[in-house]
Amino acid sequence: MIDFIDRWWRNYQFSNALKQGNIHLAERLLRNKQNSGTRLTWLEKIFRDQLCLEQANRESRQEVLTLQQQLQQAFQRLKDTENKYRFHETQSYRLQPDFQLIGSISDQFKLIQHDEYKLQCTGIDRHLFDEFEFTLVEYLKQELEKKSTVQLQLKKAIKAAYNDIDTLKNGKDPNYNLDLTPHVYFIKYFLNNVYGAYLAWFLVYKSGLLPTKINILDIAAGPATMAYGLSMLLQSFDSLLQIPQTHICYHSLEKQASFQHRGLQFWRRYMEILPIVTNSYFRFDTTDIFSDIENTQRLPQDFFDFIVISHCFFSDPAQRLQSYRVFKNIFSTCLKPGGYVLLIVQGRKLFNFYDLPQIEDIPQELKTIARFLEDLELSLEWYNYATSTGKRTPIKSEFAKFATENLPAQKHMLNLAQKYLGIKHNLNYVLDDYIILAKKP
């Protein structure tokens, strides 16, 4: 009788604890009954099974959480390993700066760093550029002689092409679409632009960022000016220092097929005279990326180490805005992770974009560069204002005297410029460019 009353009392306490929601008391009463060896009621069995399921569920959730943490740790270790490998791989395929080589080229080109951002250049590798200039002049003579059967028509065609290109002086954008435009460009601007391209690639090398295997996308490339500058820099290296074998994959985007055709013709001519030929692969893509943005979708994605834009910046605000949209799309899709954008823009033109004078004002210069890169959605790595005069402010009327006394002459090109373009002054190698290295943010 006493056992019956005791069982009834325990069952009543258990049932009442569940009704009141006192789970802790119900658990304690269940454990006491299990320890006593007494058979459980159907309600106690259900409660026991529920407790077992809840415990299993907690253990399962904890196991899942532990596995997630272990997976995250393993993923982070893998990521760290990949980053470490990528860093060492990147370092291994870049040309390591050689201080003796840098010093030798700096002496030849008479480089003077006037401040953190202004770099004066009044020298040249005379042997390298004389040979290059002579070969160019001989090529142009032969090309123009082919067209000289009707002298009057030749003079008119040259004058029309010259007038088109010369609109640059008045802050206008040339069409570059005439038959002799490439020839006039070769005579008037090509040597200076190759000179600037050489210096730009030298600064990239000096920064330790020039790969031995380099994929370049050159936007509005003209006759592949930037490829010539890089090739000539590598020729300098070979004459001064033993360097690893380099490979250039060069993709030219240019609207005018005539520019690309003449550029490739002269490239083949120039390569024939070199003692050491640069390993290079050229792809000439004749397309108007500014009028049809779909043309850019055919470009390889995440492929290029460097995207280059040299002097392809419109003076017209509407055209410039449209070109920026195209540029930004190409940067976001085609640049390799960790790749760079190399920009070369004429000094006064850059400041004209923002209605500012170009003066000796470094804070203003920094703000202007920042605005320029913000418009292109890029972040600054470094920049240099490369100038022949050593001044930011143009010296105008005094420049001719300065150039004659201080700057290397284009002695082979002068006769051709006088004959076909009517140029009366001397020709010199001149720099007035902002060389800007940038990255995607």
Side-chain angles (χ1 to χ4, degrees), residues 73-103:
Q73 292 171 357
F75 178 75
Q76 186 61 46
R77 286 195 296 270
L78 178 62
K79 188 176 180 180
D80 292 342
T81 301
E82 287 179 347
N83 289 339
K84 184 177 180 181
Y85 173 77
R86 187 176 293 126
F87 173 79
H88 288 297
E89 184 187 46
T90 300
Q91 294 300 309
S92 65
Y93 81 78
R94 286 177 177 166
L95 291 172
Q96 296 304 306
D98 180 270
F99 292 110
Q100 183 179 356
L101 177 61
I102 292 171

Side-chain angles (χ1 to χ4, degrees), residues 235-423:
Q235 293 297 321
S236 292
F237 290 175
D238 285 328
S239 65
L240 297 171
L241 182 72
Q242 187 70 32
I243 63 169
Q245 187 70 31
T246 54
H247 302 265
I248 302 172
C249 177
Y250 178 82
H251 191 127
S252 163
L253 280 181
E254 172 55 51
K255 177 181 177 181
Q256 305 297 340
S258 59
F259 262 126
Q260 295 181 324
H261 174 64
R262 300 301 174 188
L264 183 57
Q265 271 192 331
F266 178 59
W267 176 268
R268 290 168 176 164
R269 176 75 62 87
Y270 179 59
M271 288 296 109
E272 289 176 358
I273 68 169
L274 296 180
I276 301 176
V277 178
T278 304
N279 289 325
S280 55
Y281 166 75
F282 277 68
R283 180 177 179 182
F284 288 91
D285 192 349
T286 305
T287 183
D288 185 0
I289 60 173
F290 300 126
S291 62
D292 188 358
I293 197 169
E294 292 184 0
N295 288 333
T296 65
Q297 296 176 356
R298 296 182 286 105
L299 296 170
Q301 297 186 2
D302 301 327
F303 178 74
F304 296 102
D305 301 287
F306 282 85
I307 295 177
V308 179
I309 307 175
S310 177
H311 298 112
C312 178
F313 298 98
F314 292 101
S315 296
D316 179 74
Q319 284 187 291
R320 188 164 66 247
L321 183 62
Q322 167 62 10
S323 70
Y324 284 1
R325 286 194 286 267
V326 175
F327 293 160
K328 289 184 286 189
N329 178 62
I330 294 175
F331 298 157
S332 64
T333 57
C334 300
L335 195 63
K336 184 184 293 185
Y340 294 92
V341 178
L342 182 59
L343 308 168
I344 302 179
V345 55
Q346 196 263 342
R348 186 170 50 189
K349 188 172 188 178
L350 175 62
F351 283 86
N352 286 341
F353 292 164
Y354 305 101
D355 296 321
L356 294 170
Q358 186 183 5
I359 56 176
E360 293 290 341
D361 187 338
I362 294 178
Q364 175 183 277
E365 181 178 89
L366 289 168
K367 290 179 182 178
T368 304
I369 295 290
R371 288 179 65 183
F372 180 53
L373 293 181
E374 183 180 355
D375 290 342
L376 292 168
E377 296 180 359
L378 296 171
S379 62
L380 179 66
E381 186 75 9
W382 52 253
Y383 82 88
N384 269 280
Y385 174 50
T387 168
S388 293
T389 64
K391 301 178 183 296
R392 289 179 172 86
T393 306
I395 62 176
K396 297 182 179 179
S397 60
E398 303 172 9
F399 179 76
K401 182 175 183 295
F402 174 86
T404 300
E405 295 176 353
N406 298 280
L407 303 184
Q410 296 179 15
K411 54 187 179 181
H412 299 295
M413 186 62 74
L414 181 59
N415 289 337
L416 210 62
Q418 290 173 338
K419 177 179 179 180
Y420 288 104
L421 304 185
I423 290 176

Side-chain angles (χ1 to χ4, degrees), residues 105-350:
I105 293 177
S106 298
D107 289 342
Q108 285 180 320
F109 284 79
K110 299 180 182 177
L111 300 181
I112 302 174
Q113 194 78 46
H114 286 282
D115 56 48
E116 187 176 355
Y117 307 105
K118 183 170 62 176
L119 179 65
Q120 185 178 15
C121 178
T122 57
I124 201 167
D125 183 333
R126 194 78 262 184
H127 173 74
L128 181 68
F129 274 82
D130 275 356
E131 189 173 39
F132 180 76
E133 183 183 335
F134 178 79
T135 307
L136 176 63
V137 170
E138 291 301 304
Y139 165 74
L140 290 173
K141 284 180 179 178
Q142 292 178 12
E143 289 298 308
L144 291 170
E145 285 173 2
K146 293 176 185 177
K147 301 176 180 291
S148 64
T149 52
V150 183
Q151 281 292 320
L152 183 61
Q153 291 181 2
L154 177 62
K155 289 181 179 179
K156 286 183 178 179
I158 289 177
K159 184 177 181 181
Y162 187 34
N163 289 341
D164 177 58
I165 290 182
D166 214 36
T167 57
L168 287 166
K169 289 183 178 179
N170 300 319
K172 297 181 180 180
D173 299 309
N175 293 313
Y176 296 112
N177 60 349
L178 300 176
D179 181 48
L180 292 181
T181 294
H183 304 77
V184 172
Y185 173 82
F186 274 134
I187 295 172
K188 185 72 185 296
Y189 294 109
F190 184 62
L191 290 174
N192 277 336
N193 288 346
V194 171
Y195 184 56
Y198 178 102
L199 181 61
W201 288 120
F202 171 69
L203 294 176
V204 171
Y205 164 76
K206 187 178 177 182
S207 301
L209 301 176
L210 187 62
T212 56
K213 296 181 180 179
I214 180 171
N215 301 324
I216 302 169
L217 176 63
D218 194 353
I219 299 176
T225 307
M226 291 300 296
Y228 282 97
L230 178 56
S231 176
M232 293 183 72
L233 178 68
L234 296 177
Q235 293 297 321
S236 292
F237 290 175
D238 285 328
S239 65
L240 297 171
L241 182 72
Q242 187 70 32
I243 63 169
Q245 187 70 31
T246 54
H247 302 265
I248 302 172
C249 177
Y250 178 82
H251 191 127
S252 163
L253 280 181
E254 172 55 51
K255 177 181 177 181
Q256 305 297 340
S258 59
F259 262 126
Q260 295 181 324
H261 174 64
R262 300 301 174 188
L264 183 57
Q265 271 192 331
F266 178 59
W267 176 268
R268 290 168 176 164
R269 176 75 62 87
Y270 179 59
M271 288 296 109
E272 289 176 358
I273 68 169
L274 296 180
I276 301 176
V277 178
T278 304
N279 289 325
S280 55
Y281 166 75
F282 277 68
R283 180 177 179 182
F284 288 91
D285 192 349
T286 305
T287 183
D288 185 0
I289 60 173
F290 300 126
S291 62
D292 188 358
I293 197 169
E294 292 184 0
N295 288 333
T296 65
Q297 296 176 356
R298 296 182 286 105
L299 296 170
Q301 297 186 2
D302 301 327
F303 178 74
F304 296 102
D305 301 287
F306 282 85
I307 295 177
V308 179
I309 307 175
S310 177
H311 298 112
C312 178
F313 298 98
F314 292 101
S315 296
D316 179 74
Q319 284 187 291
R320 188 164 66 247
L321 183 62
Q322 167 62 10
S323 70
Y324 284 1
R325 286 194 286 267
V326 175
F327 293 160
K328 289 184 286 189
N329 178 62
I330 294 175
F331 298 157
S332 64
T333 57
C334 300
L335 195 63
K336 184 184 293 185
Y340 294 92
V341 178
L342 182 59
L343 308 168
I344 302 179
V345 55
Q346 196 263 342
R348 186 170 50 189
K349 188 172 188 178
L350 175 62

Side-chain angles (χ1 to χ4, degrees), residues 407-438:
L407 303 184
Q410 296 179 15
K411 54 187 179 181
H412 299 295
M413 186 62 74
L414 181 59
N415 289 337
L416 210 62
Q418 290 173 338
K419 177 179 179 180
Y420 288 104
L421 304 185
I423 290 176
K424 302 184 184 304
H425 57 77
N426 292 330
L427 293 181
N428 299 90
Y429 286 90
V430 179
L431 286 173
D432 173 30
D433 291 320
Y434 280 90
I435 300 172
I436 304 169
L437 191 69

